[in-house]
Amino acid sequence: MFDIRAIRENPDAFRKAWNRRKDGLGSVVDEIREWDAKWRAATSAKQEAESARNANSKLIGQAKAKKDEAEAARLMALVAEAKSAIEEAGEEEDKARKALDDILMGLPNLPLDEVPDGADEQGNIEKSRWGEPKRLNDPKDHADLGEALKGQGGFPLMDFEAAARMSGARFVALRGKLTRLERALANFMLDLQTTEHGYEEMSVPLLVRDQALMGTGQLPKFEEDLFSVDNELSSLEFADKILRLPLATIDEMRQHPSATLNLLESIIVSHKVEEGPIIELRDLIRDEIVPEIDHAKTLTDEAVSGLKDRISELRSIGYRPQFLIPTAEVPLTNLIREQILDAAQLPLRFTAHTPCFRSEAGSAGRDTKGMIRQHQFYKVELVSIVAGEAEGLAELERMTSCAEEVLKRLELPFRRMLLCAGDMGAGARKTYDLEVWLPSQNTYREISSCSYCGDFQARRMDARYRPEPKAKTEFVHTLNGSGLAVGRTLVAVLENYQNADGSITVPKALVPYMGGVDRID
C-alpha cells in the first residue's frame, strides 16, 4: 500500500513515478484523488452527523426534564435524521475506502530515480561482467545433454516424457547423478550463504494464505500466475461471484468456460443440487455460454443466500483459500508480518531452499523446451529486513554480491544487469539481474534477481521497527533475491561443463558434495 497523505500532498511525484512503469499508470493518481475526496467527505459528514446526534440526544433529556414534549419530539426527530445520515455516510465511507484500497493494493512500487527509463529488457543496463564465456564447438543444450545421459534400465537422467505423462508440460523428472547434482548445488548454496554470508537458514510452509501473498505483492494483481489449492471455500466464493454476475465475471466465464463448468459441476455434486439457477447456469455453459449469456442475469438473490451463509460459516472458523508458494520470498518475508522489531534486531537475513510453483500464465510459447521455465522448480532464496533506504540500498549491493559468489565459485561466466523501470517486478524499487552464460544459446540468461522493495511490502504486512526505546515506530524495508535458482544453475553447469563425448565434468566446488564424483558419463 501507499501513504495516501503523501499522494494527496505530492500527486505529481507519484504520477511521474508510475508513468515510468511498463503500462504508464500515472493517470491512476486522478482516480485515487477522486476516491480520496469522496472518502474524506463521507467521513466528515459522518462525524458531523454523529456530533449532531450526540448533542441532540443530551438535549432530549433536558427537554423531558422540563416536560417540554414538543421540544423533545423535535429533538428526537433530529436524532433520527442524524442516525439515517450516519448510516448513509458510513456506507459511502466504506464504499470509497474499499475502492481506494483496491486501487492502491493493485499498484506497483515506485522506481527510484537512479533506475533507468525503459519499457522492457532492451532498456536494461549492463553494470559488470565476470568470467570469459566458453566458446564450444557445436554445443548441445541442457535438455539434449540430460536426455542422452542414461541411468538404471537405460532411462534418461533428465526425463521430460515421464514427467509429462503424470503432470503435463513444463515438468521434469531427474534420475541418478543428475538428481545428486541438483541436491549438491542446493547444499553448496545454503552452506555458502549461511556459513560465510550470515543468512539464517529457515524451513518454511509451502502453503500460504492469501493475505501472505497480499503482503509480498503477488496478490491481487498476479493471481493467474499462482497455483491455488482447491477447497470448499474457494469454490463457494467463486460460485458466489458467478451468481452475482458483474460484467467482469461474465467475461471470465467467456474466457474460461471449461474451468467455470468444472467448478459448477463440483458444487452441484458436493451440495447435491438438483434444480435451480446453478443447474440452469451449468446447462447454459454446457450448451455454449456466449450466445445466451444474458439469460444468466435472471438469477435471484435467493440463489446467492445459501452460498453466502456457507461462506460466512467457513470464514468464522478461519477457513481461507491457500496457495502454493511461487517463491520462498513469500513465507520468509511474512515471518515479520504484524511485528514491531527493535532496531537492535536489524538487519535480519533469512535463506531457504524450497520448491517453487508458478503457472507461468503470461509466458506461453517461451522456453517450452527444457528446464528454463517450469511450473515446479527449486530455488535458494535470500531475504533481508533492514531499517531504511540507505541501509536497503547498501544491502542490495551486498545481497547481489552474495548471489554472484555462487557463480564465481562454480566458475560460470555471468553479467550483472541494472533493470529499467519498465522491466522491474511490481514490488521492486531497484533490481539487479544476474545473467549466466549459456553456450547453446550463445547468450546470457537470467539466473538471479535481487530487489530492494523499500517499505512497499512492510506497509502491506504492517511490519515495523522502533528506532529507539519509546520512539515512534517506522516501517521496515525489505529485500529479496535468488541465491540462486537451482534448476537454472543446473542448466548452466551442464552446458558450460559439457564434454565432446556428452559427459559432464563436475565443477570443483561441487565434488565434495558429490561424494568425490567428478564426472557424469
Side-chain angles (χ1 to χ4, degrees), residues 283-338:
D283 293 342
L284 194 63
I285 295 170
R286 196 161 55 187
D287 297 334
E288 297 298 332
I289 179 175
V290 176
E292 303 180 47
I293 190 63
D294 287 341
H295 172 68
K297 292 182 180 178
T298 62
L299 299 177
T300 65
D301 289 341
E302 184 179 353
V304 181
S305 61
L307 294 173
K308 288 181 65 178
D309 289 344
R310 182 59 177 151
I311 290 170
S312 298
E313 180 185 342
L314 290 170
R315 282 215 179 278
S316 69
I317 59 173
Y319 196 39
R320 298 181 66 94
Q322 292 178 309
F323 296 82
L324 291 167
I325 61 169
T327 163
E329 170 201 345
V330 177
L332 287 176
T333 310
N334 274 275
L335 288 170
I336 52 123
R337 73 174 292 115
E338 300 171 12

Side-chain angles (χ1 to χ4, degrees), residues 204-234:
V204 291
L206 304 183
L207 281 174
V208 294
R209 292 177 174 178
D210 51 357
Q211 65 262 41
L213 290 152
M214 294 284 282
T216 45
Q218 284 80 11
L219 287 178
K221 191 172 182 181
F222 302 104
E223 184 171 355
E224 66 174 3
D225 291 327
L226 302 172
F227 282 110
S228 64
V229 178
D230 193 21
N231 57 38
E232 185 183 0
L233 179 60
S234 58

